[in-house]
Amino acid sequence: MSSSASETQAASSSSSKPSVLIIGGLGFIGRYLTKHIHDNDLASEIKIVDKQLPQLAWLAPEFEAACSMDRFQQADMSREQTCEKIFTRPDGTTWDIVFNCGGDTRYSQQDEIYKQRSLKLSMVVGKEAAKRNVKCFVELSTGAIYKSDATPSKEAAKVKPWLKIATYKLQAENELQKIPGLNLVIVRMANVYGEYCSKVVGTMLCMARVYKHLDREMKWLWNPELKTNTVHVTDVARALWHVTHWYMNGKANWDEEAMGPTPCSTSWMRVIQGMMSKHMANIFNIKTGFHGTIVSQFAKLNLGSAVDEENDELLQPWGDLLNDYGITRPGPITPYLEGDTVKDKDFCLDGSRFKEVTGFEYKVPVVTEKVLRDIIDSYRRMNWWPAMEDTTLKPAKETEATV
């Protein structure tokens, strides 16, 4: 069954629609998931829980109805008593589907932060979901748990987390699979991007805007062939809903003996640095290129210093741009580089099993110049972006960024 067909079937009968709890529902992925379920009338009830308030979450107008206050509750789900209360609906029943989109998703944090805000959260909500016999519990993880390799990693590939956040995501995966009776699905994702995104792709766009302002060449570390997997947030939202429907309808095509007892899937689309560099050149009308081998090798040995130097060069001009354009609330976007995001590591995944087993189809299969322009336009709508006339007047090219 195709993903579109499963969505239609899931929405066919009001009485058969599941109730849904979304933990971290105001995060980047959580809000898109909530909107997808709301817009397509897929659930009998939606409850979103988050530690931050909607007024502080930089929600765009199109999310206001889905993430309305009547279905929102501010809470810290890593607290057992709080978790127990949230899992109990007013009529005494519990939720049919629970998505864990929560946790601290920032890069380069201290270990204790990931332990308390991510690992502990997963364990508390996973145990409660098992106790309540939730029909499907979806844990969002990351493909960075696999050993970095230019060859795409499949679900059974060797695990060797190369991001600190991935270390604790892997621990959460392992511990959740030990919980008796937990109806668990794990989705390991690539770098998620899309309109209003603030990480990785969003950072690149902000950096390019500064280089345009400075009239300087934007040079990248490493080499043009470095692979970084991406997946569009609207496809993530669709995939998360799709996998719950697949799971609760019998897990078609799942071979437990060969694939393991816990459905674990990877969402992906490959992109190489060289193509991203070309997109930035076209959008911003700047020269782009790559540092030579000597500079890249020096940066590898002194990555912290190289990142600090880059941030020193970009942050003040970014602030000047914001002031020049009267932007007082620039939202979550920034050219600030995190050391974890510029490592000489291929983030290369093979997500074919997810498509083959569940029948999911991507609607935004590649990173194109148009998609990146759409992201910039979303920043403009929120008044986060220092405008630049030639980025709107120059026609977009549809060059695909895949290998």
Side-chain angles (χ1 to χ4, degrees):
M1 180 183 293
S2 70
S3 54
S4 298
S6 68
E7 290 166 8
T8 302
Q9 183 174 328
S12 61
S13 171
S14 177
S15 61
S16 64
K17 293 176 186 176
S19 57
V20 177
L21 173 64
I22 304 176
I23 300 163
L26 295 183
F28 182 56
I29 295 173
R31 68 186 63 182
Y32 271 94
L33 174 60
T34 303
K35 186 177 186 298
H36 175 72
I37 297 171
H38 169 82
D39 289 353
N40 292 283
D41 195 20
L42 300 173
S44 60
E45 182 182 355
I46 306 171
K47 187 73 168 181
I48 56 177
V49 181
D50 206 291
K51 292 175 70 175
Q52 67 176 335
L53 291 168
Q55 298 90 329
L56 303 176
W58 304 105
L59 287 175
E62 57 261 42
F63 296 99
E64 290 177 358
C67 301
S68 60
M69 288 299 296
D70 62 329
R71 59 171 51 135
F72 169 77
Q73 185 163 343
Q74 185 181 31
D76 181 355
M77 292 292 282
S78 66
R79 299 177 181 272
E80 294 179 0
Q81 290 183 331
T82 301
C83 184
E84 185 176 353
K85 291 179 181 178
I86 297 294
F87 267 76
T88 304
R89 299 171 67 196
D91 61 2
T93 62
T94 194
W95 305 95
D96 296 311
I97 301 171
V98 176
F99 295 95
N100 182 20
C101 305
D104 200 310
T105 59
R106 296 174 298 171
Y107 294 106
S108 307
Q109 300 301 300
Q110 297 296 319
D111 291 78
E112 195 61 29
I113 290 178
Y114 292 129
K115 287 179 183 178
Q116 291 297 319
R117 299 180 183 177
S118 295
L119 178 58
K120 183 181 178 183
L121 170 68
S122 295
M123 294 310 303
V124 170
V125 297
K127 289 177 181 178
E128 192 66 28
K131 184 173 73 174
R132 302 299 186 102
N133 196 29
V134 168
K135 294 177 182 177
C136 186
F137 177 83
V138 182
E139 173 75 5
L140 275 63
S141 188
T142 172
I145 68 166
Y146 300 115
K147 180 182 178 182
S148 175
D149 198 325
T151 301
S153 298
K154 296 187 177 182
E155 283 78 1
K158 180 179 180 180
V159 293
K160 186 178 181 181
W162 50 274
L163 293 176
K164 189 182 293 186
I165 189 173
T167 299
Y168 291 97
K169 283 294 186 182
L170 180 58
Q171 287 185 33
E173 286 190 24
N174 293 336
E175 293 302 317
L176 286 170
Q177 292 180 74
K178 298 175 185 177
I179 299 176
L182 180 60
N183 295 312
L184 174 65
V185 175
I186 297 170
V187 180
R188 296 170 180 160
M189 290 177 295
N191 287 320
V192 182
Y193 76 104
E195 294 185 11
Y196 312 106
C197 68
S198 61
K199 296 176 181 174
V200 186
V201 172
T203 301
M204 292 181 193
L205 291 169
C206 291
M207 292 175 65
R209 179 65 184 91
V210 174
Y211 278 106
K212 174 65 176 178
H213 171 66
L214 297 175
D215 192 24
R216 283 172 43 194
E217 180 179 4
M218 183 178 181
K219 285 192 173 183
W220 303 53
L221 286 171
W222 322 132
N223 63 77
E225 298 304 316
L226 188 70
K227 299 177 178 65
T228 301
N229 280 63
T230 61
V231 60
H232 198 277
V233 67
T234 55
D235 278 336
V236 171
R238 293 176 50 250
L240 292 174
W241 182 258
H242 178 79
V243 78
T244 63
H245 182 78
W246 167 82
Y247 184 94
M248 294 192 297
N249 282 275
K251 297 184 287 186
N253 305 316
W254 186 262
D255 184 344
E256 187 167 311
E257 184 175 341
M259 302 177 181
T262 301
C264 178
S265 302
T266 301
S267 61
W268 62 288
M269 282 294 150
R270 288 196 299 279
V271 59
I272 58 172
Q273 278 204 146
M275 189 56 71
M276 285 296 288
S277 174
K278 291 179 182 178
H279 284 335
M280 296 299 170
N282 289 335
I283 293 170
F284 292 93
N285 193 24
I286 58 176
K287 185 177 180 180
T288 62
F290 288 81
H291 289 291
T293 302
I294 295 177
V295 173
S296 291
Q297 286 299 320
F298 176 81
K300 183 181 291 187
L301 296 173
N302 302 274
L303 188 59
S305 297
V307 170
D308 289 343
E309 182 177 344
E310 182 77 2
N311 286 330
D312 288 342
E313 292 182 3
L314 298 182
L315 291 179
Q316 184 58 52
W318 175 254
D320 294 339
L321 274 170
L322 298 179
N323 288 332
D324 291 345
Y325 285 87
I327 299 172
T328 57
R329 299 183 74 245
I333 65 171
T334 172
Y336 182 80
L337 270 178
E338 294 283 1
D340 279 353
T341 65
V342 291
K343 291 182 177 180
D344 183 19
K345 298 284 187 180
D346 285 294
F347 191 5
C348 191
L349 311 174
D350 182 340
S352 57
R353 187 170 81 176
F354 182 66
K355 296 176 64 178
E356 293 166 359
V357 171
T358 72
F360 182 75
E361 299 170 2
Y362 290 92
K363 288 187 176 180
V364 190
V366 294
V367 179
T368 64
E369 186 180 319
K370 180 181 182 305
V371 172
L372 296 177
R373 289 177 182 273
D374 289 342
I375 296 173
I376 294 174
D377 286 341
S378 74
Y379 298 159
R380 284 201 187 99
R381 294 195 297 270
M382 296 295 285
N383 196 31
W384 297 345
W385 187 257
M388 189 171 65
E389 289 301 321
D390 53 357
T391 61
T392 59
L393 295 176
K394 189 178 179 181
K397 298 179 180 179
E398 288 296 336
T399 307
E400 297 184 354
T402 58
V403 290

